[in-house]
Amino acid sequence: MAATEKTEFEIALNQAALAAEAALDRLLPNQNENRLHAAMRYAALGQGKRLRPFFVLESAKLSGVSLERAMPVAAALECIHCYSLVHDDLPAMDNDDLRRGLPTTHKKFDEATAILAGDALLTIAFEILADAGQPPALIGALAKAAGQAGMVGGQMLDIEAETKNFSSLEEISAMQSGKTGALFEFACIAGPMMAGQDMTALKTYAKNIGIAFQIADDILDVESTVADLGKATQKDKAKGKATFVDFLGLDGAKKHAKLLAEAAKAALEPHGESAIVLRQAADFIISRRK
Ligand code: GRG
């Protein structure tokens, strides 16, 4: 392949990002001069890799589910991801000024507006799914992934770990499986769930890439720059956060991420050649620069 030629994954991610942007633009409210609407749109539109929508659309494709049926699920999931970023950036949490290369939502607007925009992005996600006639099992699965048994629960453990150190790799993996992994897992099983198919292979794939993604995030926090990442770096150590790099060292963390990516790819074996894009996605997750 020539150096400039794009991989199947890069093409699919780019298409998913464009489709997600268009869907969010259409689905998010936009009354003139409505401050809440403006903050919701600021938090959700424009930048972002759109990895979670990509995984929804790709798992749907692999399961024979149409783009039309999968798109509201991809958009709803991205709304929840964007809400989590807005709330995570607040002074009471990570207190960040920069997100996706721009002022965080509470810096651009104010804290109260950012809290409400996050709340509204979370709730509109479920409105989008209900309006699209998605099955209760899928709506319930997203609620579970986002809530106390998933992302919110993981975030709580992460905050607690600032004062109460994790003592094992299992403990930190459990926290990250909730905080970061749960939304990835939902994204990857959304396809077979909509199609009523077996989810085992994609669930195993997702569990591995979820942790690999977080390890890559921890490594980028140490090795990357604000200009490349569009957000503050070197924050984890300063905040006393429990990271994979602390437990494994930089080289150990890179090796562990590679093992997880290989395990993710191996899990796709039942899907054969049609899972090539997801295999390439696993490699991207651990080699990304932002
Ligand atoms: C506040 C309820 C609540 C949860 C916050 C996801 C999360 C939990 C916090 C985000 C903070 C963070 C940096 C987590 C590490 C992994 C992560 C989710 C990174 C951001 O995701 P990307 O890289 O972001 O997919 P883009 O901007 O590309 O969408």
Side-chain angles (χ1 to χ4, degrees):
M1 183 185 295
T4 52
E5 211 173 303
K6 289 199 181 323
T7 64
E8 289 90 336
F9 161 73
E10 286 167 331
I11 294 166
L13 179 62
N14 190 39
Q15 285 172 348
L18 291 173
E21 182 76 12
L24 289 167
D25 187 27
R26 182 169 46 77
L27 290 163
L28 291 175
N30 192 20
Q31 269 169 28
N32 271 345
E33 308 201 6
N34 182 311
R35 187 172 175 80
L36 181 60
H37 294 180
M40 290 167 75
R41 297 179 76 84
Y42 180 79
L45 296 175
Q47 302 290 323
K49 294 182 286 296
R50 311 301 191 195
L51 277 170
R52 293 152 194 82
F54 157 79
F55 282 115
V56 172
L57 298 183
E58 206 52 43
S59 82
K61 196 168 164 194
L62 205 59
S63 311
V65 174
S66 71
L67 180 66
E68 191 190 8
R69 193 156 158 231
M71 206 58 233
V73 182
L77 180 58
E78 186 68 6
C79 285
I80 293 185
H81 168 60
C82 294
Y83 123 73
S84 81
L85 298 180
V86 172
H87 281 196
D88 189 68
D89 290 336
L90 287 167
M93 298 228 188
D94 266 6
N95 195 16
D96 274 309
D97 294 349
L98 203 62
R99 168 70 63 185
R100 294 173 167 175
L102 292 169
T104 46
T105 307
H106 67 274
K107 283 281 165 193
K108 176 79 179 176
F109 294 83
D110 56 67
E111 257 182 79
T113 307
I115 291 169
L116 294 173
D119 293 341
L121 284 169
L122 170 62
T123 43
I124 205 170
F126 294 99
E127 193 181 322
I128 290 169
L129 294 181
D131 286 351
Q134 292 292 340
L138 184 125
I139 299 178
L142 182 56
K144 193 166 173 194
Q148 57 80 27
M151 182 179 70
V152 173
Q155 176 79 345
M156 187 73 244
L157 291 176
D158 194 24
I159 291 169
E160 284 179 334
E162 287 172 22
T163 51
K164 183 180 76 165
N165 285 344
F166 286 129
S167 56
S168 69
L169 195 59
E170 284 70 34
E171 271 185 320
I172 186 171
S173 299
M175 178 272 285
Q176 297 296 5
S177 301
K179 181 182 149 191
T180 311
L183 293 195
F184 279 110
E185 194 173 321
F186 172 82
C188 294
I189 62 164
M193 191 176 243
M194 279 185 272
Q197 291 172 4
D198 183 51
M199 299 181 246
T200 317
L202 281 167
K203 202 176 239 181
T204 308
Y205 169 83
K207 281 188 191 301
N208 283 293
I209 59 150
I211 299 289
F213 177 90
Q214 185 58 50
I215 296 177
D217 213 67
D218 292 351
I219 294 169
L220 286 172
D221 183 71
V222 177
E223 289 194 332
S224 191
T225 61
V226 177
D228 281 345
L229 223 47
K231 64 179 182 180
T233 56
Q234 314 282 338
K235 292 250 337 178
D236 292 340
K237 204 169 190 63
K239 285 210 81 182
K241 291 227 181 239
T243 73
F244 285 99
V245 174
D246 291 337
F247 271 92
L248 301 168
L250 257 180
D251 280 353
K254 285 177 188 174
K255 281 189 190 125
H256 195 55
K258 177 110 181 84
L259 283 177
L260 291 166
E262 292 306 320
K265 289 191 274 182
L268 295 173
E269 210 249 305
H271 291 283
E273 261 313 291
S274 45
I276 183 170
V277 173
L278 287 179
R279 284 193 189 88
Q280 291 174 354
D283 289 329
F284 168 80
I285 289 286
I286 58 165
S287 61
R288 67 199 172 94
R289 302 309 310 154
K290 61 182 274 200

